[in-house]
């Protein structure tokens, strides 16, 4: 791999991590890869994009625990669980290959998808995890999706739980910990603009 740099961003749901990544990519004039990786993986796997999206950064555990099992439906449950597990692994492997290929092509910003772990041996990788105060995250999600505060809080908890499970399942590391990431930043304390400035400085150093 060449001497260019890659920035990976993990984030709590509603923390503004995606917006920070987009602002940074625009500032640096480099590509941003996020949900586009889903489309790319689906194309490579010759699957429908909505099928791949069902397991993208989602939790097989959540699927299993939400499945209503009765003696009559047990075999259907086993079959569905096996299919979801296989699909999850296939999507992860395909996205891993795509992330490595993109990293080899040139500088970029990658959001989520365990990219920090996938590129752990890439010398030019700067990986950061964005968090924020829960109240602020809930308020942002409520406004974005037109939800009540209660519904927004449930969505935040569920999405964070799924992201944690997905990350820890594939990496064996703790999601959002200093042991897993080079830099942890609280967007509520620092603000998006200052975070972008910091990461831009690190990138250009």
């Amino acid at each position: 791999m060449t001497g260019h740099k890659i920035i990976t961003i993990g984030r709590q749901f509603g923390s503004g991590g995606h917006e920070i990544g987009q602002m940074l990519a625009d500032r640096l004039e480099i590509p941003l890869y996020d949900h586009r990786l889903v489309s790319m993986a689906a194309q490579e796997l010759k699957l429908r994009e909505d099928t791949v999206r069902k397991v993208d950064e989602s939790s097989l555990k959540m699927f299993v625990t939400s499945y209503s099992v009765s003696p009559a439906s047990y075999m259907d449950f086993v079959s569905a669980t096996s299919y979801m597990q296989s699909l999850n692994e296939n999507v992860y492997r395909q996205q891993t290959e795509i992330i490595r290929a993109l990293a080899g092509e040139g500088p970029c910003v990658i959001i989520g998808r365990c990219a920090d772990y996938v590129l752990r041996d890439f010398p030019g990788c700067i990986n950061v995890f964005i968090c924020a105060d829960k109240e602020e995250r809930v308020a942002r999600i409520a406004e974005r999706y037109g939800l009540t505060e209660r519904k927004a809080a449930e969505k935040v908890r569920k999405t964070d739980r799924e992201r944690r499970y997905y990350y820890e399942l594939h990496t064996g590391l703790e999601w959002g910990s200093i042991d897993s990431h080079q830099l942890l930043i609280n967007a509520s304390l620092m603000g998006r603009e200052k975070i972008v400035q910091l990461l831009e400085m690190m990138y250009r150093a």
Side-chain angles (χ1 to χ4, degrees):
M1 291 185 178
T2 60
H4 60 262
K5 296 177 182 176
I6 307 294
I7 297 177
T8 70
I9 299 178
R11 74 280 187 230
Q12 289 181 318
F13 187 56
S15 65
H18 189 279
E19 291 88 342
I20 289 168
Q22 186 65 69
M23 291 168 63
L24 181 63
D26 291 344
R27 189 83 55 87
L28 297 173
E29 298 183 323
I30 61 177
L32 172 79
Y33 297 104
D34 51 2
H35 301 301
R36 292 168 61 187
L37 291 168
V38 177
S39 302
M40 296 167 77
Q43 184 176 359
E44 290 296 325
L45 292 169
K46 294 180 173 55
L47 294 171
R48 290 170 54 92
E49 185 174 334
D50 57 349
T51 300
V52 173
R53 195 173 296 281
K54 287 180 182 178
V55 297
D56 174 59
E57 283 198 313
S58 66
S59 166
L60 177 64
K61 181 179 179 181
M62 295 300 296
F63 165 78
V64 172
T65 56
S66 66
Y67 201 104
S68 178
V69 183
S70 66
S73 66
Y74 177 75
M75 292 308 297
D76 289 339
F77 166 74
V78 171
S79 178
T81 302
S82 177
Y83 170 75
M84 287 293 290
Q85 185 173 21
S86 176
L87 181 58
N88 183 292
E89 289 302 319
N90 285 341
V91 170
Y92 176 75
R93 282 196 297 268
Q94 189 60 59
Q95 287 191 150
T96 293
E97 292 181 12
I98 292 171
I99 287 170
R100 288 175 177 159
L102 292 172
E105 290 177 0
C108 61
V109 176
I110 304 176
I111 306 292
R113 280 81 195 170
C114 304
D116 58 298
Y117 180 78
V118 171
L119 299 177
R120 61 192 180 280
D121 297 324
F122 182 73
C125 184
I126 301 169
N127 67 75
V128 58
F129 187 89
I130 306 296
C131 60
D133 296 347
K134 185 176 180 180
E135 294 77 11
E136 184 176 316
R137 295 194 291 130
V138 169
R140 181 179 289 120
I141 294 305
E143 181 179 359
R144 180 186 301 171
Y145 294 99
L147 301 174
T148 64
E149 183 176 335
R150 177 174 172 274
K151 289 291 186 181
E154 290 176 358
K155 189 174 183 65
V156 166
R157 284 195 298 272
K158 179 178 182 292
T159 305
D160 276 354
R161 189 164 61 243
E162 290 179 344
R163 287 181 179 177
R164 174 183 293 276
Y165 181 84
Y166 183 91
Y167 183 87
E168 295 183 355
L169 172 69
H170 293 296
T171 71
L173 301 174
E174 182 181 356
W175 182 71
S177 77
I178 195 61
D179 294 325
S180 308
H181 308 278
Q182 295 170 346
L183 190 64
L184 304 182
I185 305 178
N186 189 324
S188 298
L189 298 177
M190 194 167 181
R192 284 180 285 181
E193 180 59 34
K194 287 185 178 180
I195 294 173
V196 172
Q197 291 175 3
L198 172 64
L199 295 178
E200 180 182 8
M201 180 183 68
M202 294 177 66
Y203 178 89
R204 298 189 187 281

